[in-house]
Amino acid sequence: MSIIVQKFGGTSVADSVKIKNVANAVIREYKDGHHVVVVVSAMGHTTDYLVKLAQEISLKPNHREMDMLLSTGEQVTIALLAMAIQEAGVPAVSMNAAQVGIFTESVHTKARIVDIKTDKLHKNLNEGKIIVVAGFQGITKDGEITTLGRGGSDTSAVALAAALKADRCDIYTDVDGVYTTDPRIVPRARKLNEISYMEMLELARVGANVLHPRSVETAKQFNVPMRVRSSFKHDDLGTLVIGVDSMEIYRPVSGVAADLTQVRVAILKVPDAPGTAAKVFTTMANHSISVDMIIQSYAKEDNTNDIAFTVSESDFDQTLKILEQVRKDINASEIQIDKDIAKISIVGAGMIDRPGIAADMFSSLADSGINIKMISTSEIKISCLVKKEDAHNAVKAIHTKFNLDEKTETQVAV
Ligand code: ASP
Ligand code: MG
């Protein structure tokens, strides 16, 4: 029998009426003859509320206690959803991460899943039950509660789908799919019918807030077909996220994204010697801080170079603290900060081996009078840092330049 994993985010389970609607959506798959595992987030803005409460008590709350606190949100939802399903006459059982056996590494507030036990899941499915699992949380081998990082329930769902070798993982959310860019910025943004894991990964990382990036990474690694679809329009198939080989269309650019939550950090006059960059980035990695857009300048006459990179705002305080020590150790002169940045990125699997894409992006920014502060590229992504105030105009200009705007009636007729 096929196994389907469904995931419902916070807005989809925000109150009891919505939870009953979710129960109906779940039961529909069950009655179609599938085994169903449902993963849910905390109700509405519960997690934000819990974070706020913690901050009223401590500006730097202990990470272990944060996990104890935040993991409660999902536990409320699973119990209520299981009740709603039972109320409709269908057997259901709720399980938290410890009960399932969703094991993570021992890092609080952003742990990675290392293993998922499936015996209890299979047992309950074979008994004809729908299983409702708490997203976002995990357990260490020592029995400590962890969480996967904000938005982590998507990753719980995909990891469960991979472990269960599920046929599909449907992520139900408050948007009806993945768009070429944020429709709030560009009203003529288009919904994509399909997108490759690679592209989605890049888009998720650069600020398209539809999916938790690690969920896409996991889907790609285990080849789990993911569907991003609307909690409110069940007949809409949304966007399918699949391997690039299975895709029908190759566009040079599939999406444009703006990330306004990054800070640029530069370490100036780093002595040009082997091991300095390694020292900087190993230290950051040891503190689980991801860095992006790394640029090292050519060595100058005084045999030093500058190393610049971006980190997310939430890691900024910790980054500064760590880097000050590293700066002394490697004998660099100064650390420079620029908070007035937005990272604008274009992503497309079809950009590989197609010249002129970068030139088109830069000229659309130039035509709009937007200055570029820093550029970085990967095989399927080009990112530019611009001033925060230029972010929306940059996205609009680039979206139009790459013909991503939804055609209006008149344009189609011409
Ligand atoms: N409740 C968690 C959050 O708000 C996890 C999730 O919703 O995916 O970040
Ligand atoms: Mg979410």
Side-chain angles (χ1 to χ4, degrees):
M1 206 156 147
S2 53
I3 301 179
I4 309 249
V5 175
Q6 295 181 296
K7 182 258 167 179
F8 293 87
T11 37
S12 316
V13 293
D15 56 39
S16 54
V17 173
K18 289 188 172 148
I19 290 179
K20 287 181 197 170
N21 283 337
V22 168
N24 290 335
V26 174
I27 291 170
R28 201 168 325 146
E29 292 287 0
Y30 177 86
K31 296 224 159 128
D32 274 349
H34 304 292
H35 281 318
V36 185
V37 174
V38 198
V39 176
V40 282
S41 297
M43 291 170 69
H45 297 289
T46 303
T47 314
D48 291 337
Y49 169 70
L50 294 172
V51 170
K52 188 168 155 282
L53 267 186
Q55 274 162 358
E56 283 169 19
I57 304 245
S58 160
L59 284 178
K60 293 222 179 317
N62 177 281
H63 283 180
R64 177 186 182 276
E65 302 311 330
M66 264 327 257
D67 280 350
M68 290 298 276
L69 177 69
L70 297 192
S71 60
T72 60
E74 273 68 14
Q75 193 153 331
V76 171
T77 325
I78 53 171
L80 292 173
L81 180 57
M83 286 175 203
I85 298 170
Q86 291 160 358
E87 199 60 27
V90 174
V93 60
S94 66
M95 294 175 89
N96 65 19
Q99 290 167 321
V100 173
I102 301 179
F103 288 97
T104 70
E105 46 181 27
S106 308
V107 180
H108 284 293
T109 76
K110 47 180 158 184
R112 285 178 173 267
I113 298 175
V114 290
D115 187 29
I116 297 185
K117 299 276 169 261
T118 54
D119 43 339
K120 281 192 206 130
L121 294 173
H122 282 302
K123 180 171 172 288
N124 280 295
L125 289 175
N126 290 333
E127 286 168 8
K129 290 181 201 149
I130 291 175
I131 308 176
V132 188
V133 179
F136 179 52
Q137 54 177 262
I139 187 135
T140 70
K141 58 180 186 331
D142 301 324
E144 289 291 319
I145 293 175
T146 52
T147 60
L148 311 181
R150 294 305 306 270
S153 315
D154 294 341
T155 300
S156 310
V158 176
L160 277 161
L164 289 164
K165 300 192 171 52
D167 296 77
R168 231 173 53 219
C169 182
D170 284 352
I171 308 283
Y172 286 85
T173 174
D174 50 350
V175 294
D176 56 7
V178 179
Y179 279 72
T180 49
T181 193
D182 186 340
R184 287 167 305 185
I185 303 177
V186 182
R188 281 163 66 194
R190 260 187 291 145
K191 190 174 87 184
L192 300 165
N193 290 330
E194 51 177 32
I195 188 167
S196 66
Y197 295 126
M198 271 201 309
E199 291 168 312
M200 191 63 233
L201 202 49
E202 293 287 9
L203 279 178
R205 282 209 191 99
V206 293
N209 293 322
V210 195
L211 290 172
H212 194 233
R214 268 159 47 201
S215 69
V216 187
E217 238 169 63
T218 310
K220 178 170 184 279
Q221 188 180 350
F222 297 98
N223 221 358
V224 179
M226 266 175 115
R227 213 175 249 296
V228 179
R229 55 196 300 183
S230 164
S231 299
F232 312 109
K233 293 188 261 171
H234 293 295
D235 296 330
D236 188 332
L237 286 177
T239 303
L240 183 63
V241 190
I242 44 172
V244 72
D245 312 338
S246 332
M247 271 181 62
E248 283 167 17
I249 336 149
Y250 274 75
R251 301 157 291 243
V253 174
S254 290
V256 188
D259 182 353
L260 281 80
T261 64
Q262 300 264 314
V263 180
R264 192 187 77 128
V265 180
I267 314 175
L268 305 185
K269 295 201 175 188
V270 178
D272 186 27
T276 47
K279 171 98 187 167
V280 172
F281 296 108
T282 309
T283 314
M284 301 284 282
N286 288 344
H287 288 82
S288 298
I289 298 175
S290 315
V291 295
D292 194 24
M293 285 191 89
I294 304 172
I295 290 184
Q296 180 182 295
S297 67
Y298 258 9
K300 289 169 278 195
E301 276 158 19
D302 62 355
N303 270 333
T304 67
N305 52 41
D306 301 335
I307 298 178
F309 53 89
T310 58
V311 293
S312 96
E313 262 166 14
S314 56
D315 287 330
F316 177 64
D317 289 344
Q318 206 192 354
T319 301
L320 263 196
K321 215 173 7 171
I322 297 165
L323 279 188
E324 192 39 44
Q325 187 54 48
V326 176
R327 183 194 68 76
K328 284 186 197 138
D329 293 350
I330 61 176
N331 212 5
S333 78
E334 184 189 338
I335 294 173
Q336 215 179 52
I337 309 299
D338 185 358
K339 290 190 171 181
D340 181 19
I341 57 161
K343 182 172 65 178
I344 312 296
S345 307
I346 57 173
V347 170
M351 161 182 320
I352 301 171
D353 292 333
R354 212 183 291 211
I357 304 293
D360 281 348
M361 180 181 189
F362 305 151
S363 40
S364 68
L365 293 174
D367 292 346
S368 306
I370 297 170
N371 184 42
I372 302 172
K373 296 188 181 201
M374 189 159 149
I375 298 169
S376 81
T377 63
S378 77
E379 214 179 13
I380 66 155
K381 179 180 76 170
I382 305 170
S383 301
C384 298
L385 288 192
V386 301
K387 280 170 105 80
K388 272 202 169 73
E389 66 190 32
D390 289 334
H392 288 190
N393 284 339
V395 171
K396 279 185 201 142
I398 295 167
H399 198 266
T400 305
K401 181 84 175 180
F402 289 102
N403 291 321
L404 295 173
D405 293 347
E406 183 86 78
K407 299 280 178 286
T408 61
E409 298 279 334
T410 36
Q411 274 177 315
V412 174
V414 164

